[in-house]
């Protein structure tokens, strides 16, 4: 069983926790251990990791694999759960720890850079009421990310990364950036919808002229 996180979990840097996870002698890293390692920051940390993975290129439908757990965890955050709950089959999923260490080493420089830019500030944007709103917004963003919209997965993915950073680092500025990215995502969807309506209208007019 994975060790319980220490009481001062919030004082540990995200990058330090990532490295500590890789130091275990167990050759397999289970999702359950990853969730437990981040303690009270588990929601933000796990949503951050999954959102970053979702931003990578995947075949059609691949985004939904990441969207489902993000939706589940975001709902739990919105309903003020104290800890992440995932199905046992998901918690038992594992990867090779050496592969994990190799992947972490490639992104560690970027992770530490982002850490240095974030810090606890604007506390009312990271409190319990704010977490409820953030969780519900993240549910919508994850749903949008899973839709087959051209280039429609990048903006919600970026917004999710900002929200996750804000939750994890207690940084209200990151939450605000997530809100801005969410607004941009909404505007993009609106423009896509208007374009689809216009194309459908012109297609209908063209068909009407042909058959009349």
């Amino acid at each position: 069983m994975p060790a319980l996180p220490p009481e001062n979990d919030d004082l540990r840097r995200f990058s330090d926790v990532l490295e500590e996870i890789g130091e275990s002698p167990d050759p397999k890293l289970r999702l359950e251990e990853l969730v437990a390692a981040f303690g009270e920051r588990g929601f933000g940390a796990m949503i951050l990791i999954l959102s970053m993975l979702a931003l990578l290129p995947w075949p059609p439908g691949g985004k939904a694999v990441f969207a489902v757990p993000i939706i589940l965890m975001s709902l739990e955050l919105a309903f003020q759960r104290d800890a992440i709950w995932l199905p046992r089959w998901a918690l038992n999923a594992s990867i090779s720890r050496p592969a994990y260490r190799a992947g972490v080493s490639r992104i560690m420089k970027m992770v530490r850079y982002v850490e240095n830019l974030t810090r606890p500030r604007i506390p009312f944007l990271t409190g319990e009421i704010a977490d409820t709103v953030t969780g519900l917004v993240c549910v919508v963003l994850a749903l949008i990310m899973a839709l087959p919209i051209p280039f429609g997965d990048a903006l919600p993915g970026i917004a999710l990364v900002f929200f996750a950073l804000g939750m994890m680092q207690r940084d209200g500025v990151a939450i605000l950036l997530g809100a801005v990215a969410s607004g941009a995502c909404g505007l993009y969807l609106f423009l896509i919808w208007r374009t689809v309506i216009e194309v459908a209208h012109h297609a209908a007019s063209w068909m009407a002229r042909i058959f009349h």
Side-chain angles (χ1 to χ4, degrees):
M1 294 294 293
L4 293 175
E7 293 182 0
N8 64 339
D9 177 76
D10 278 353
L11 301 179
R12 295 191 298 164
R13 292 164 62 91
F14 177 66
S15 56
D16 292 338
V17 178
L18 287 178
E19 290 185 330
E20 288 170 12
I21 293 171
E23 293 171 358
S24 172
D26 189 336
K28 291 291 184 181
L29 169 60
R30 293 193 303 161
L31 182 58
E32 182 177 17
E33 179 183 348
L34 199 61
V35 170
F38 290 101
E40 294 182 359
R41 295 183 298 174
F43 288 106
M46 293 304 300
I47 292 174
L48 175 61
I49 293 171
L50 293 173
S51 300
M52 292 177 67
L53 289 173
L55 287 173
L56 299 174
W58 295 94
K63 305 294 183 180
V65 175
F66 302 103
V68 171
I70 290 175
I71 290 171
L72 181 57
M73 288 186 287
S74 297
L75 284 172
E76 293 175 15
L77 176 69
F79 285 99
Q80 301 292 319
R81 280 188 61 91
D82 295 327
I84 293 175
W85 176 89
L86 288 174
R88 174 52 54 184
W89 60 265
L91 292 174
N92 285 332
S94 66
I95 61 171
S96 164
R97 202 174 300 265
Y100 168 84
R101 284 196 292 264
V104 166
S105 66
R106 287 195 293 267
I107 66 170
M108 187 52 64
K109 184 176 181 180
M110 179 185 67
V111 169
R112 292 196 186 281
Y113 175 76
V114 172
E115 273 186 331
N116 291 331
L117 296 178
T118 58
R119 62 181 185 275
R121 48 191 167 180
I122 319 181
F124 74 89
L125 290 178
T126 57
E128 291 186 357
I129 296 176
D131 280 350
T132 296
V133 176
T134 300
L136 294 175
V137 173
C138 287
V139 170
V140 176
L141 290 170
L143 287 170
I144 296 173
M145 187 173 66
L147 295 177
I149 301 173
F151 307 107
D153 57 341
L155 280 174
I158 291 171
L160 283 167
V161 166
F162 280 129
F163 279 130
L165 278 171
M167 288 184 283
M168 188 179 65
Q169 300 291 87
R170 309 289 194 262
D171 191 344
V173 171
I175 297 293
L176 289 175
L177 290 174
V180 171
S182 298
C185 180
L187 177 61
Y188 179 76
L189 287 178
F190 174 75
L191 294 175
I192 289 291
W193 176 253
R194 285 290 301 272
T195 301
V196 170
I197 295 297
E198 288 293 327
V199 170
H201 176 73
H202 288 301
S205 300
W206 180 72
M207 294 294 289
R209 287 195 298 268
I210 291 178
F211 293 104
H212 289 83

